[in-house]
Amino acid sequence: MGNNAAEKTVGSDELVRLLLDSTGEGIYGIDLDGNCTFANPACLRLLGFDSDAELLGRNMHELVHHTRPNGEPYPAEECRIYNAFREHEGTHVDDEVMFRKDGSSFPTEYWSYPVERDGELVGCVLTFVDISERRRSEELLADQATTIAEIARFPEMNPGPVLRLDNQGNVLAANTAAREALGLELVGLCWRDICPGIGADTWRQILDATGPVTVERCIGDRDYVLTHRRDPESDLVFVFGADITEQKQAERALREADEQVRLLLDSTGEGIYGVDLEGNCTFANPACARLLGFAGVDELLGKHMHNLVHHTRRNGDPYPVEECRIYRAFREHEGTHVDDEVMFCADGKPFPAEYWSYPVERDGELVGCVVTFVDISERRRVEDELRQREKMAALGKLSAGLAHELNNPAAAAGRAAGQLDEMLGELLAATVQLARAGIGSDAWTHLSDRYIEFGRRSDGALGLSALEASDREDELLGWLERRGVEDPWDIASTLVNAGVGPEDLDSIAAVIPSERLGQAIDWLDKALDAQELAGTVARSSRTMSELVDAVKSYSHMDRAPVAYADVHEGIEDTLKILGHKLKRGIDVVRQYDRDLPRVQTGGSDLNQVWTNLIDNAISVLGDGGTITLTTYRDGDHIVVEIGDDGPGIPQEIQHRIFEPFYTTKEVGEGTGLGLDIVRRIVSGRCGGELDFSSRPGETTFRVRLLGEGAASCEQQTA
């Protein structure tokens, strides 16, 4: 296919239209007056316009680029887009904003390149992307960057230069890449003397800045981006360098090219390739070859792209081409966006990929599709890191809750055990005194039998109100005082708790000599007290054992990684773990179908789902409200609904609640990954479905899972 094929590709107006219509980046052109000459569909979508007729002929600076990020007016004569006019060279900017049709702004990264026709400058082409999501991810990681250990800041294997400076600019440490780049032993030298253009003003800007200060410098024959970050805790300045020589060379090569197609293909960082109806590659850009690990585009042309780079699913199963979502552009004649699959490099190594596939027509006939893809390994790493932190935060909450729940029974058992030790001594003394008094075996037998009977009564729920208990104490107090029993107040309270009435004391008085009655009642009081303390120890121990069992069940200890589980057990274990939060005045209503089949679950995956959803409900309810838990069958599926009567989710943000990193909580209270984790577990690992409905006073999340015997999670995932 060679150079002739490449030249035909570059010169094809049809390919220009194809690329403009299929790429996910916004692209528009302007003439020398700044007026729009063309705009692709992605440009319209990103800027919120319905038709290119709304843009054509309009001054794009005044329409979408009129204001700086700080809110100040942006004069057109200072606009960096027009460097393509003023300096006749390309421009790359990632620190400005653009404005949508509705007046809202978004952070953007853009590239502007001059366009010539017959050797004469006629305008420029601008490519831009919305980097809002990237900014949020960068901000989350930046907030945590200062806590990273110094050794991690200066990995010797870092491919770029890394230096540590004091606040005067003296080099304290430098990695091998820095020494090789500058050709010097750097320690002890002043950075301002080494790095071109770092004068006193720039150094003061670095020291005063609260965020990173980035400059581009040519050192030797290499170009670098140098990011300076001052550490406020140590008054040190860290320099992180990245070699952008190849990028600069590519930019210089692009400035020399006047063909729009090559500009569009070669300037984007995303991989782009086209396939015909047979799935064979018709063109590819250099980024595509680079991302896939091929030496050049020629190694891809004419090859079957599915068999070459997209042949296997994430779980290792073969990926039949007839099921490939890229070819939805053929089958359903519509675009496809996928971010949960993998592609394979030339060496067979997979990488997570996000891709867009769009159908291509020529003269009204479908001829193939264009695929744009990116390697999202770094994004996945950042997301996984933040999800792990979310899990650790959740584990901390559960640990705190468990400690709180265990503290009460443990403290009660400790107090009761100490009091029981003292009481047993007093009971022994009372027993010895009563035995010395010689009350007789019949009296002992009667007294022991009544003690056993009273113990059984105290085990049952007496259900006395405070007023009823007070009346009974007064009645027994009078009986004891009339017979001269010592400490009648303390004894009366113990006897009431054991369900003892005056008629019971009359039966004891009938067999115990009157002169020994006080000692007998005292012995009975201490025996019942000892029994109650022993019961407190036993009950507290049972409570602690139940909590430990709940945690063991919650975490699926001693179980296979994948097993069948009763959703009700997992929900109840979760409620026990979160019990300390529910005690603030939140009621839990259970509407369970106990005949539901079990579901397949991987370890404690589903328990994490219940924890996140129930904990979210608790958070919105605050100090009062009702959580309703409902389970029912729906065909082969079981449905779990978790509802609350809180304020509801505002309509304007409902479409965003499953987005990673999106949260309405205060800074530091959440990462915005809880519902994203829930969605991934339910849909990704268990092949289920997750949805919700919300209005003021009623929010319900629904989890649909396949019941035992219907299908496996792995089958669903595949």
Side-chain angles (χ1 to χ4, degrees):
M1 307 216 11
N3 292 330
N4 289 335
E7 292 172 359
K8 291 179 180 178
T9 299
V10 169
S12 171
D13 291 339
E14 178 64 25
L15 186 55
V16 172
R17 185 188 64 79
L18 165 75
L19 291 171
L20 289 174
D21 290 349
S22 63
T23 184
E25 300 161 316
I27 302 175
Y28 65 83
I30 55 175
D31 59 22
L32 293 179
D33 293 321
N35 299 323
C36 181
T37 57
F38 71 88
N40 73 337
C43 171
L44 300 177
R45 185 182 69 254
L46 290 170
L47 296 176
F49 290 91
D50 298 322
S51 167
D52 59 359
E54 299 181 72
L55 298 180
L56 296 177
R58 303 282 297 277
N59 187 288
M60 293 300 286
H61 182 82
E62 296 176 358
L63 190 63
V64 301
H65 199 222
H66 45 74
T67 304
R68 300 183 189 273
N70 63 2
E72 295 178 355
Y74 198 163
E77 59 270 15
E78 298 177 12
C79 177
R80 288 186 279 180
I81 290 175
Y82 297 128
N83 280 357
F85 298 161
R86 294 191 297 266
E87 302 176 16
H88 207 77
E89 66 179 13
T91 302
H92 174 213
V93 175
D94 64 358
D95 60 354
E96 293 184 349
V97 296
M98 286 189 174
F99 289 81
R100 302 184 182 91
K101 179 181 179 180
D102 62 7
S104 62
S105 64
F106 59 92
T108 184
E109 180 177 15
Y110 65 77
W111 297 260
S112 173
Y113 292 96
V115 176
E116 292 184 353
R117 185 173 293 120
D118 299 328
E120 181 181 354
L121 182 68
V122 297
C124 72
V125 172
L126 186 89
T127 302
F128 68 96
V129 292
D130 182 345
I131 58 173
S132 302
E133 199 63 42
R134 186 200 309 171
R135 284 284 184 264
R136 280 193 288 272
S137 298
E138 290 172 352
E139 289 169 2
L140 281 171
L141 290 178
D143 290 340
Q144 300 160 352
T146 56
T147 63
I148 301 175
E150 204 169 280
I151 187 66
R153 289 174 174 164
F154 296 95
E156 190 57 29
M157 297 304 294
N158 193 309
V162 182
L163 303 95
R164 180 178 63 191
L165 318 174
D166 64 18
N167 59 11
Q168 300 300 315
N170 299 314
V171 179
L172 303 178
N175 69 348
T176 301
R179 295 192 297 272
E180 291 177 351
L182 295 166
L184 297 169
E185 284 298 324
L186 300 172
V187 175
L189 300 180
C190 182
W191 178 241
R192 289 182 289 169
D193 297 332
I194 300 170
C195 183
I198 303 294
D201 291 341
T202 303
W203 184 251
R204 175 52 53 191
Q205 179 187 359
I206 292 170
L207 295 179
D208 292 342
T210 58
V213 176
T214 300
V215 297
E216 291 187 13
R217 293 292 184 267
C218 180
I219 301 176
D221 61 348
R222 309 295 291 178
D223 293 307
Y224 292 90
V225 170
L226 301 169
T227 300
H228 301 72
R229 181 182 289 276
R230 183 178 67 85
D231 188 342
E233 297 180 0
S234 60
D235 274 338
L236 299 176
V237 176
F238 301 95
V239 182
F240 303 87
D243 189 337
I244 59 170
T245 304
E246 294 181 2
Q247 177 183 336
K248 286 293 186 181
Q249 291 172 346
E251 291 175 356
R252 285 190 285 270
L254 286 173
R255 288 196 297 269
E256 296 171 359
D258 59 2
E259 303 96 341
Q260 288 188 12
V261 175
R262 184 172 301 281
L263 172 67
L264 294 172
L265 283 173
D266 293 354
S267 65
T268 182
E270 290 95 341
I272 302 175
Y273 66 85
V275 295
D276 59 24
L277 293 177
E278 301 298 325
N280 299 320
C281 181
T282 56
F283 73 89
N285 71 339
C288 172
R290 184 180 70 253
L291 289 170
L292 295 175
F294 290 91
V297 171
D298 289 345
E299 296 185 40
L300 298 173
L301 297 176
K303 299 291 182 61
H304 193 282
M305 292 300 286
H306 182 83
N307 294 341
L308 189 65
V309 301
H310 201 220
H311 44 74
T312 304
R313 299 183 190 272
R314 280 189 311 166
N315 62 1
D317 290 343
Y319 199 162
V321 66
E322 59 270 14
E323 298 178 10
C324 177
R325 289 188 278 181
I326 286 176
Y327 297 119
R328 185 171 296 169
F330 297 161
R331 293 191 301 267
E332 302 178 14
H333 210 79
E334 66 179 19
T336 302
H337 174 216
V338 175
D339 66 355
D340 60 353
E341 293 184 348
V342 295
M343 287 186 170
F344 289 81
C345 296
D347 60 4
K349 184 182 298 183
F351 62 89
E354 180 177 15
Y355 64 77
W356 297 260
S357 174
Y358 293 94
V360 177
E361 291 184 353
R362 183 173 290 121
D363 299 327
E365 181 180 354
L366 183 68
V367 296
C369 71
V370 171
V371 180
T372 303
F373 69 95
V374 291
D375 181 344
I376 56 174
S377 301
E378 183 62 20
R379 185 199 308 172
R380 285 283 183 263
R381 185 194 66 77
V382 172
E383 291 176 356
D384 290 344
E385 180 180 340
L386 289 172
R387 287 191 185 93
Q388 186 62 31
R389 292 176 185 173
E390 178 87 4
K391 291 180 181 178
M392 294 304 294
L395 179 60
K397 292 179 182 178
L398 294 179
S399 299
L402 179 61
H404 183 90
E405 290 295 305
L406 286 173
N407 182 63
N408 290 337
R415 288 193 302 270
Q419 294 171 359
L420 179 59
D421 183 57
E422 296 178 5
M423 185 55 64
L424 288 176
E426 295 179 8
L427 178 60
L428 178 60
T431 303
V432 171
Q433 285 185 357
L434 196 57
R436 286 177 177 172
I439 63 173
S441 59
D442 291 341
W444 266 116
T445 300
H446 182 78
L447 191 59
S448 298
D449 290 344
R450 300 317 305 270
Y451 160 71
I452 294 171
E453 180 186 347
F454 299 156
R456 291 197 188 99
R457 292 183 190 176
S458 62
D459 286 339
L462 298 178
L464 297 178
S465 67
L467 183 58
E468 290 172 334
S470 177
D471 290 342
R472 288 200 180 186
E473 283 188 22
D474 290 341
E475 192 175 7
L476 290 179
L477 181 62
W479 193 97
L480 296 170
E481 287 177 340
R482 287 194 297 273
R483 287 158 180 79
V485 178
E486 295 182 1
D487 300 323
W489 283 101
D490 293 337
I491 294 175
S493 176
T494 301
L495 296 178
V496 168
N497 290 337
V500 178
E503 65 280 2
D504 297 310
L505 297 182
D506 288 338
S507 71
I508 294 174
V511 298
I512 301 294
S514 58
E515 65 274 13
R516 303 302 177 199
L517 182 60
Q519 291 175 302
I521 297 298
D522 180 58
W523 177 89
L524 181 62
D525 171 60
K526 289 178 170 53
L528 291 173
D529 271 344
Q531 184 184 58
E532 175 60 25
L533 291 171
T536 299
V537 173
R539 287 190 297 274
S540 299
S541 299
R542 283 196 301 272
T543 299
M544 289 187 286
S545 178
E546 289 171 357
L547 283 170
V548 172
D549 286 343
V551 172
K552 183 177 180 181
S553 173
Y554 178 90
S555 61
H556 285 250
M557 294 170 59
D558 302 329
R559 299 189 189 181
V562 176
Y564 285 98
D566 184 340
V567 294
H568 303 110
E569 292 180 1
I571 294 172
E572 289 302 314
D573 290 339
T574 302
L575 291 174
K576 289 178 183 177
I577 299 299
L578 297 175
H580 65 292
K581 293 187 175 183
L582 295 169
K583 293 175 182 177
R584 297 180 304 193
I586 296 175
D587 295 325
V588 177
V589 176
R590 297 166 174 84
Q591 298 174 347
Y592 293 162
D593 179 356
R594 292 289 187 178
D595 295 328
L596 291 178
R598 298 180 301 169
V599 296
Q600 184 172 308
T601 174
S604 58
D605 283 348
L606 280 182
N607 285 343
Q608 190 173 0
V609 171
W610 313 140
T611 299
N612 284 354
L613 293 180
I614 294 174
D615 192 46
N616 280 353
I618 293 172
S619 297
V620 299
L621 290 177
D623 294 331
T626 300
I627 295 175
T628 303
L629 306 173
T630 306
T631 63
Y632 58 89
R633 184 192 297 267
D634 183 11
D636 288 339
H637 292 79
I638 69 167
V639 180
V640 178
E641 294 185 350
I642 298 176
D644 66 74
D645 58 358
I649 303 171
Q651 184 69 34
E652 61 270 17
I653 69 168
Q654 288 189 10
H655 67 288
R656 301 193 61 190
I657 67 169
F658 293 115
E659 289 183 15
F661 313 114
Y662 181 76
T663 178
T664 58
K665 296 180 180 179
E666 296 294 331
V667 175
E669 292 186 7
T671 63
L673 288 172
L675 289 176
D676 177 58
I677 291 172
V678 168
R679 177 181 60 85
R680 289 178 180 272
I681 290 174
V682 172
S683 61
R685 301 184 195 174
C686 293
E689 300 174 4
L690 173 68
D691 63 12
F692 76 98
S693 60
S694 182
R695 61 184 182 184
E698 183 180 350
T699 297
T700 302
F701 283 85
R702 297 176 191 85
V703 178
R704 285 171 48 87
L705 301 167
L706 279 167
E708 184 176 7
S712 70
C713 292
E714 292 183 358
Q715 290 171 329
Q716 289 298 310
T717 303

